[in-house]
């Protein structure tokens, strides 16, 4: 079974803090994704990566950056957290653009 | 721009009462249509992929069908454990092989 693991289920941070969300997959997938999910807005793509050190912007990249130094790990970085970044963050991975498998999610609250 | 609209937003059924969820889409060129199930506080769980009009897939009480404009998720004789939010997503050719565009989901509640 594919396993996508997000490092934290719940996080509480202060406005202005630098926040790291980590995601690890164990299936040697080349593609990895970060989404945020908000009521009424659905899942929106923040960034994705199709290879180590490669990244592409999704629909809502503003205020976020990403890092992929190893194939199995994809990090989402909030450089200076703001209250409008309070959300559920979901990581996913896929093989050659096929089925995306999701982690359990990180619920981030920025106070 | 690729778009996905799911209806209804919420559906409440009695146990054993069959129904269908709708996913209407517009896409420049369909590479695949995906159905996911999401339980509260958890990540989406993959259910089906459909690639061409006329295709059908089944899993237990669920059956997904696809036309050129929409997909249906039919649920037959549902049980309370089928309660979840069901998400539909499309993968278009022009937008790139990797990107999925999601609908907002249908929240399904099955009462015992």
């Amino acid at each position: 079974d594919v396993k996508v693991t997000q490092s934290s289920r719940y996080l509480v941070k202060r406005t202005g803090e630098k926040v790291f969300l980590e995601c690890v997959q164990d299936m040697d997938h080349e593609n990895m994704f970060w989404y945020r999910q908000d009521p009424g807005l659905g899942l929106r793509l923040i960034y994705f990566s199709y290879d180590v050190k490669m990244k592409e912007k999704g629909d809502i990249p503003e205020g976020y950056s990403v890092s992929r130094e190893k194939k199995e790990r994809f990090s989402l970085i909030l450089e200076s957290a703001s209250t409008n970044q309070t959300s559920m963050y979901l990581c996913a991975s896929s093989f050659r653009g096929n089925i995306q498998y999701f982690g359990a999610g990180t619920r981030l609250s920025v106070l | 721009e690729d778009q996905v609209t799911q209806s209804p937003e919420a559906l409440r059924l009695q146990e054993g009462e069959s129904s269908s969820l709708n996913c209407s889409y517009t896409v420049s060129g369909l590479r695949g249509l995906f159905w996911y199930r999401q339980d509260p506080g958890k990540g989406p769980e993959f259910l089906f992929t459909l690639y061409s009009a006329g295709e059908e897939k089944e899993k237990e009480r669920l059956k997904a069908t696809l036309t050129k404009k929409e997909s249906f998720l039919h649920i037959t004789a549902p049980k309370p454990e089928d309660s979840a939010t069901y998400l539909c997503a499309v993968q278009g050719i022009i937008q790139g092989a990797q990107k999925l565009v999601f609908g907002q989901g249908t929240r399904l509640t099955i009462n015992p």
Side-chain angles (χ1 to χ4, degrees), chain B residues 8-20:
Chain B
E9 286 186 21
L11 181 62
R12 191 177 290 270
L13 300 172
Q14 289 298 122
E15 184 173 1
E17 181 184 0
S18 301
S19 188
S20 298

Side-chain angles (χ1 to χ4, degrees), chain B residues 8-74:
Chain B
E9 286 186 21
L11 181 62
R12 191 177 290 270
L13 300 172
Q14 289 298 122
E15 184 173 1
E17 181 184 0
S18 301
S19 188
S20 298
L21 313 182
N22 178 262
C23 171
S24 297
Y25 65 90
T26 55
V27 65
S28 48
L30 183 68
R31 182 181 288 270
L33 185 140
F34 299 78
W35 282 98
Y36 286 84
R37 169 194 170 125
Q38 186 175 24
D39 292 303
K42 296 188 177 180
E45 176 188 345
F46 170 74
L47 292 173
F48 304 109
T49 310
L50 302 167
Y51 295 103
S52 58
E55 190 175 358
E56 300 182 352
K57 289 197 176 167
E58 285 188 69
K59 180 180 179 180
E60 296 181 354
R61 293 175 294 281
L62 298 176
K63 179 179 174 181
T65 61
L66 181 65
T67 72
K68 289 186 178 179
K69 294 184 178 180
E70 56 192 351
S71 177
F72 291 94
L73 185 65
H74 306 278

